Amino acid sequence: MSDLLSGLHIRPAGPSDIDAVLRFWRDAAEGTSISDDHDGVARLVARDPEALLLAERDGELAGTVIAGFDGWRCHLYRLAVHPERRRQGIGRALLAAAEERFAALGGRRADAMVLDRNELAHHAWHAAGYAPEPQWSRWVRHLTD
């Protein structure tokens, strides 16, 4: 483990982490989601207690990723690293933990939701071995207001 990653602890989020995660995303994540509320994250944690991974250093939240697996596909959401802790390998460590989870569940390919305008994220995802597939588009219908 590199010196930059020493002291980094990755663990699944629990119900008591939800408010801190939502505050963290307001500071560290690019964009917002219709599911970025207490009830939405609580449903995620209740349904799949291992999906929301937290990276902590010195007792403080340093990064997150949602590693969702529906039994067929592996989906990555909300990879976010605190702005003061970027370029220290935290995102890569979170992705490695997510990929280990997927492999243990039988997953064979991971995909990620990445905003087109988030150039910084594009570099990070590319460095981790991910690439866009331009032949696909995301189609969305909101089920609630």
Side-chain angles (χ1 to χ4, degrees):
M1 181 183 304
S2 75
D3 289 340
L4 290 175
L5 292 179
S6 66
L8 188 69
H9 176 67
I10 297 177
R11 66 172 179 85
S16 64
D17 296 306
I18 294 170
D19 291 331
V21 166
L22 289 168
R23 283 190 305 274
F24 178 82
W25 285 344
R26 282 193 293 272
D27 294 334
E30 179 73 22
T32 58
S33 167
I34 194 170
S35 303
D36 286 358
D37 60 27
H38 192 277
D39 290 343
V41 179
R43 276 190 299 277
L44 169 67
V45 170
R47 184 183 175 282
D48 189 350
E50 304 291 317
L52 175 52
L53 299 176
L54 308 180
E56 298 173 320
R57 179 176 282 143
D58 301 324
E60 293 185 17
L61 189 53
T64 67
V65 71
I66 297 173
F69 182 64
D70 61 15
W72 184 41
R73 295 215 174 138
C74 308
H75 305 285
L76 294 159
Y77 310 92
R78 281 301 193 216
L79 177 63
V81 175
H82 190 280
E84 294 176 6
R85 298 199 183 257
R86 291 182 180 154
R87 303 193 56 78
Q88 298 177 16
I90 295 169
R92 190 175 297 260
L94 281 162
L95 286 177
E99 291 165 359
E100 287 175 21
R101 169 181 155 74
F102 292 152
L105 292 170
R108 295 180 284 178
R109 178 182 69 185
D111 63 51
M113 298 288 299
V114 183
L115 288 171
D116 287 340
R117 71 175 186 260
N118 191 344
E119 291 294 325
L120 183 63
H122 296 183
H123 296 292
W125 284 102
H126 182 74
Y130 289 77
E133 289 190 332
Q135 70 272 23
W136 295 97
S137 294
R138 181 177 181 216
W139 292 40
V140 176
R141 178 174 182 231
H142 292 268
L143 302 176
T144 61
D145 296 332

